[in-house]
């Protein structure tokens, strides 16, 4: 676990915020806060897949371009993308032009549609993998957990691509299925309050 990052306001945050100025607002307003919106959940798991082998800063700075390119990550629309769309996306300098990852997003959009039929919503499915409380666990000390391994396995079984245990854990962290803010971080208590007020969706 890294040392706390002291921002311009003099308050401590998770150490990874030191990596780039744009990390601070993302950390303060998004990372680790519970999400039950299917479109946001689909967006995040797609962006985490794109991030594999790259830095999150690269993906975060291109996020608006990704949203424009992938119909705001409306998986019902993305599921209709065809070969012409793939070629169009491969020419889009505003995103990461990786054919395998682009094809995976389209594949995963179709899988998302099937998952909604199965579970009622993406949120109802994903929140089954909420991390179990563990008072002894040190935040940000792992890159995978039992929950992320189980989530990756469940998605792979359903045909999803480019979602391994590490990617799944980054998703779990970001979408608030665990509060992985460090103890000193000003957002830890805020995220905990948000999680306490949050009712996980059910099938």
């Amino acid at each position: 676990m890294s040392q706390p990052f002291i921002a311009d306001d003099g308050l401590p945050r998770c150490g990874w915020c030191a990596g780039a100025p744009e990390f601070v607002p993302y950390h303060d307003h998004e990372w680790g806060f519970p999400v039950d919106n299917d479109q946001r959940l689909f967006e995040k798991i797609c962006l985490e897949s794109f991030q594999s082998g790259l830095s999150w800063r690269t993906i975060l700075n291109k996020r608006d371009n990704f949203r424009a390119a992938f119909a705001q990550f409306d998986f019902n629309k993305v599921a209709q993308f065809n070969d012409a769309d793939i070629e169009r996306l491969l020419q889009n300098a505003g995103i990461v032009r990786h054919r395998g990852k682009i094809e995976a997003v389209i594949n995963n959009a179709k899988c998302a549609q099937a998952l909604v039929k199965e579970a009622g919503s993406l949120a109802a499915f994903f929140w089954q993998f909420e991390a179990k409380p563990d008072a002894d666990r040190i935040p940000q000390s792992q890159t995978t957990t039992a929950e992320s391994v189980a989530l990756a396995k469940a998605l792979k079984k359903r045909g999803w691509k480019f979602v391994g245990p590490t990617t799944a854990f980054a998703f779990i962290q970001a979408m608030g299925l665990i509060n992985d803010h460090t103890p000193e971080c000003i957002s830890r208590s805020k995220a905990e309050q948000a999680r306490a007020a949050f009712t996980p969706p059910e099938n």
Side-chain angles (χ1 to χ4, degrees):
M1 186 172 63
S2 62
Q3 292 297 312
F5 170 67
I6 307 301
D8 291 342
D9 58 9
L11 299 173
R13 289 168 171 81
C14 294
W16 57 264
C17 289
E22 55 269 34
F23 284 174
V24 173
Y26 170 70
H27 166 275
D28 288 0
H29 302 294
E30 296 185 55
W31 194 83
F33 292 87
V35 174
D36 62 1
N37 177 281
D38 277 9
Q39 200 159 317
R40 281 191 61 197
L41 291 165
F42 182 69
E43 172 186 294
K44 184 59 177 174
I45 206 156
C46 290
L47 292 180
E48 290 294 351
S49 297
F50 270 108
Q51 194 226 325
S52 179
L54 301 171
S55 72
W56 176 242
R57 185 181 191 182
T58 296
I59 303 304
L60 184 59
N61 285 334
K62 292 176 178 287
R63 184 163 62 168
D64 286 343
N65 297 334
F66 276 109
R67 287 171 172 167
F70 286 98
Q72 306 300 313
F73 289 98
D74 180 336
F75 51 85
N76 289 312
K77 293 180 179 178
V78 176
Q80 304 303 315
F81 281 17
N82 55 28
D83 289 344
D85 291 301
I86 294 172
E87 294 306 316
R88 169 181 60 82
L89 292 165
L90 286 169
Q91 300 303 314
N92 187 337
I95 66 170
V96 174
R97 294 178 286 183
H98 184 294
R99 181 182 288 274
K101 293 178 181 180
I102 290 170
E103 290 177 345
V105 170
I106 299 169
N107 169 80
N108 293 349
K110 296 173 183 176
C111 292
Q113 290 180 313
L115 195 52
V116 169
K117 291 180 180 179
E118 173 192 339
S121 67
L122 296 188
F125 173 79
F126 284 126
W127 275 93
Q128 296 176 68
F129 299 90
E130 180 181 7
K132 296 177 177 62
D134 182 356
D136 296 326
R137 184 183 173 278
I138 300 172
Q140 298 177 37
S141 62
Q142 302 161 268
T143 56
T144 64
T145 61
E147 292 85 3
S148 77
V149 171
L151 173 56
K153 183 177 180 180
L155 290 173
K156 183 177 181 181
K157 179 181 178 181
R158 290 165 174 79
W160 292 63
K161 298 179 179 179
F162 273 93
V163 187
T166 301
T167 296
F169 184 56
F171 169 83
I172 285 171
Q173 287 175 302
M175 297 287 94
L177 280 76
I178 190 174
N179 183 358
D180 223 26
H181 287 279
T182 54
E184 305 88 351
C185 176
I186 61 165
S187 288
R188 183 168 181 82
S189 61
K190 296 175 183 177
E192 200 56 47
Q193 290 169 9
R195 281 170 50 80
F198 179 79
T199 302
E202 298 179 356
N203 294 43

